[in-house]
Amino acid sequence: MCVCVILCINALLPSPPPAKPSPPVKRDFLRHRDYKVDLESKLGKSVVITKTTPQSETGGYHCNVCDCVVKDSINFLDHINGKKHQRNLGMSMRVERSSVEQVRRRMESNRQRLQQRKHEYDFQERMRELQEEEEKQKAYRRERRRERKRRAPGDVEAWHDGDMAAVMGFGGFGSSKKN
């Protein structure tokens, strides 16, 4: 009976007013990274890990923003591009919409960059480079052929060795002449 009375009394008490939802945080739009992601610095290195080693120095890639360790480079890139990391940086996953004028400026700058590359490209210089490369390849092939020719007579002589032929289980190459 006591339990029933307590439950009924609790049901009649006014509930506390619901907490007001906090206003949404205004976050910046997603933008390009202004730094290069360093994935190669720890490549091929051995690290001794003890119980007292800080988390940032243990195996894998450490994210300073989120204070977490990711074990491989692919997951690290996924984390850096992910929602949690971007939120910790103060950015939303939304991209700012470009205006028509911004697109035109970008296309014009790309055109100018392409024109500069065309002017920098010199056909005669490229032809000289290709000819030099061909000459190097020809010289390499010539040298390989000469090396094979030098080795070839020595190889034939080695087969005439009687001891080697006996080890291989035959007396010769069809010759009936005895040594």
Side-chain angles (χ1 to χ4, degrees):
M1 183 162 145
C2 293
V3 174
C4 186
V5 173
I6 294 173
L7 289 175
C8 292
I9 293 173
N10 283 339
L12 296 175
L13 291 174
S15 61
K20 292 183 181 179
S22 60
V25 177
K26 179 68 176 159
R27 298 183 190 277
D28 291 340
F29 288 114
L30 198 60
R31 61 182 180 273
H32 289 284
R33 255 190 300 276
D34 56 352
Y35 59 92
K36 185 179 183 311
V37 178
D38 183 26
L39 298 175
E40 290 89 20
S41 66
K42 294 183 179 182
L43 193 63
K45 296 199 175 160
S46 300
V47 178
V48 177
I49 300 172
T50 62
K51 290 180 181 179
T52 59
T53 305
Q55 183 182 11
S56 63
E57 294 177 11
T58 58
Y61 298 91
H62 182 260
C63 175
N64 296 327
V65 176
C66 303
D67 195 31
C68 66
V69 175
V70 185
K71 294 298 179 190
D72 62 12
S73 61
I74 294 172
N75 287 334
F76 183 65
L77 288 174
D78 286 343
H79 167 75
I80 284 178
N81 295 326
K83 192 173 191 177
K84 178 183 172 189
H85 183 81
Q86 297 299 331
R87 283 231 169 124
N88 287 341
L89 285 175
M91 287 189 274
S92 69
M93 294 302 286
R94 294 197 173 113
V95 181
E96 182 180 9
R97 290 188 52 95
S98 299
S99 67
V100 175
E101 187 57 37
Q102 288 173 328
V103 173
R104 285 184 182 144
R105 275 185 279 166
R106 176 60 68 120
M107 289 178 68
E108 185 60 34
S109 69
N110 287 345
R111 260 192 229 112
Q112 289 174 356
R113 196 173 333 134
L114 185 62
Q115 290 297 327
Q116 287 175 352
R117 286 184 192 160
K118 284 184 180 179
H119 290 300
E120 292 172 1
Y121 181 76
D122 184 17
F123 182 74
Q124 296 299 328
E125 184 179 332
R126 182 71 178 134
M127 287 302 292
R128 259 183 273 134
E129 289 174 3
L130 288 173
Q131 287 175 348
E132 288 174 8
E133 186 67 30
E134 282 181 23
E135 291 298 323
K136 286 180 185 177
Q137 290 220 351
K138 285 180 184 177
Y140 175 71
R141 288 181 193 138
R142 244 183 273 130
E143 187 60 36
R144 270 192 16 208
R145 262 188 251 124
R146 287 180 189 157
E147 186 66 32
R148 274 195 230 130
K149 285 181 182 178
R150 273 187 245 138
R151 250 190 284 147
D155 291 343
V156 173
E157 296 292 326
W159 288 105
H160 291 290
D161 185 14
D163 294 333
M164 179 62 81
V167 168
M168 294 180 75
F170 53 90
F173 292 103
S175 173
S176 61
K177 191 161 78 170
K178 297 282 182 184
N179 284 344

